[in-house]
Amino acid sequence: MSSYIIESNKKKSRLPARLDFAQSATGLLLGLFMWVHMMLVGSIILGKEMFYNVAKTMELAFLSPDGQGYPILVFFAAATISTLFITHALLGVRKFPISWKQHRIFRDQMQMMKHEDTNLWYVQVITGFIMFFAGSVHLYTMMSNPAGIGPYMSADRIVSGGMWPLYLVLLICVELHAIIGLYRLCLKWGWFTGKNPAQARKKLKAWKKRLSVFFLSIGILALLVFIVIGIKHRDNVGEKYVKKSQAAEQVEAAAGSAEETQ
Ligand code: HEM
């Protein structure tokens, strides 16, 4: 009987640790995904052709006979990320202050302690809450229209589809949330902390700042480039971008058929 009680207590006490581990693991995967995602989206800074090539490579266009790729892969990627995103959010909700009173007590303590890492936790709660809505809209768009990624189609969505305010809010939230999350993970699991924890914390903080500035700059610049393309393309919404080499072939073919008819 007593061994049964000890056994059941053991089981009970393991659950929070397992949930914590699952939250860390899903957070790590999402944080790393976001950095890769930002670099891929940021390719628009290098031009429309570059973004088109990146998007088509992600759709494995080099394997498809017509060179158009397999947009269904975007659907599967977005569905996988959505599953991680929802799991991570549900695990995070456990730690939210659940009433206004709890929230007030936490805010009062935060002001009293003035402890930077506690403030960072609060930033994560707020950004996580906003991302739950804004991120879901974006992921749903990617799943419902997986073939709609391209320099013109993305820019049209951002300008003519009115998505830019959502992307701006999402961008700020996701970058802050991801970098704070990865910083806290390093401290929690002792990654890159070395033998002197105080010095390591300082170094990690410096990296946190550098990486935030780097990814936020790429994100904001990419958004501005999309906005400029979208404004210029306002009168041709829906038109797809044609790769330079294909456009040249089309012009040649048109010139050839014009000569034939003369
Ligand atoms: C596999 C899943 C995802 C795919 C395929 C994807 C794809 C894209 C694409 C193509 C864009 C360019 C704009 C557009 O075409 O609408 C974009 C922008 C953006 N995405 Fe995602 N995304 C994914 C997941 C996420 C997640 C989980 C988040 C954050 C919660 C996110 C945050 C953003 C932000 C903030 C922008 C605007 C970035 C900027 O313009 O600088 N994305 N995404």
Side-chain angles (χ1 to χ4, degrees), residues 62-82:
F62 52 91
L63 292 181
S64 73
D66 63 356
Q68 287 307 302
Y70 306 98
I72 189 79
L73 296 174
V74 176
F75 171 84
F76 284 125
T80 308
I81 295 299
S82 298

Side-chain angles (χ1 to χ4, degrees), residues 71-185:
I72 189 79
L73 296 174
V74 176
F75 171 84
F76 284 125
T80 308
I81 295 299
S82 298
T83 310
L84 282 176
F85 184 71
I86 292 168
T87 309
H88 182 74
L90 288 178
L91 290 167
V93 164
R94 284 175 309 148
K95 295 175 178 169
F96 273 31
I98 51 169
S99 66
W100 177 248
K101 201 172 160 197
Q102 265 191 11
H103 175 255
R104 206 51 266 170
I105 292 171
F106 182 78
R107 290 276 303 173
D108 289 346
Q109 284 184 353
M110 230 171 79
Q111 268 157 15
M112 200 176 68
M113 291 196 310
K114 292 199 179 7
H115 182 248
E116 198 187 329
D117 283 8
T118 312
N119 296 351
L120 288 181
W121 181 82
Y122 189 70
V123 173
Q124 270 205 301
V125 170
I126 302 291
T127 51
F129 185 73
I130 299 172
M131 271 166 60
F132 194 70
F133 301 100
S136 304
V137 172
H138 175 52
L139 282 164
Y140 182 77
T141 311
M142 291 296 126
M143 277 192 286
S144 59
N145 186 14
I149 297 177
Y152 286 154
M153 284 183 293
S154 295
D156 286 345
R157 186 170 25 252
I158 287 172
V159 174
S160 303
M163 289 289 270
W164 69 265
L166 183 120
Y167 277 155
L168 182 62
V169 171
L170 185 58
L171 175 67
I172 295 169
C173 288
V174 82
E175 289 312 333
L176 290 179
H177 193 93
I179 194 67
I180 296 174
L182 292 174
Y183 162 78
R184 286 161 53 88
L185 268 189

Side-chain angles (χ1 to χ4, degrees), residues 171-244:
L171 175 67
I172 295 169
C173 288
V174 82
E175 289 312 333
L176 290 179
H177 193 93
I179 194 67
I180 296 174
L182 292 174
Y183 162 78
R184 286 161 53 88
L185 268 189
C186 287
L187 292 181
K188 187 168 178 179
W189 301 102
W191 299 333
F192 310 111
T193 46
K195 284 183 185 146
N196 184 341
Q199 207 182 350
R201 188 179 282 253
K202 246 189 199 167
K203 271 195 186 158
L204 283 173
K205 265 189 191 152
W207 271 106
K208 180 169 73 61
K209 213 177 246 172
R210 280 182 214 133
L211 288 168
S212 308
V213 171
F214 177 70
F215 283 107
L216 270 175
S217 308
I218 290 191
I220 289 178
L221 201 57
L223 196 54
L224 285 174
V225 174
F226 274 126
I227 290 175
V228 171
I229 298 172
I231 290 174
K232 285 189 185 161
H233 199 246
R234 243 186 326 206
D235 296 333
N236 298 303
V237 172
E239 177 203 40
K240 283 190 181 180
Y241 180 81
V242 181
K243 203 173 151 65
K244 273 183 190 154

Side-chain angles (χ1 to χ4, degrees), residues 48-50 52-54 56-57 61 67-68 151-152 240-250:
K48 296 194 279 281
E49 189 83 355
M50 180 59 98
Y52 178 87
N53 286 334
V54 168
K56 284 292 158 201
T57 307
Q68 287 307 302
Y152 286 154
K240 283 190 181 180
Y241 180 81
V242 181
K243 203 173 151 65
K244 273 183 190 154
S245 54
Q246 284 168 357
E249 274 169 26
Q250 281 174 8

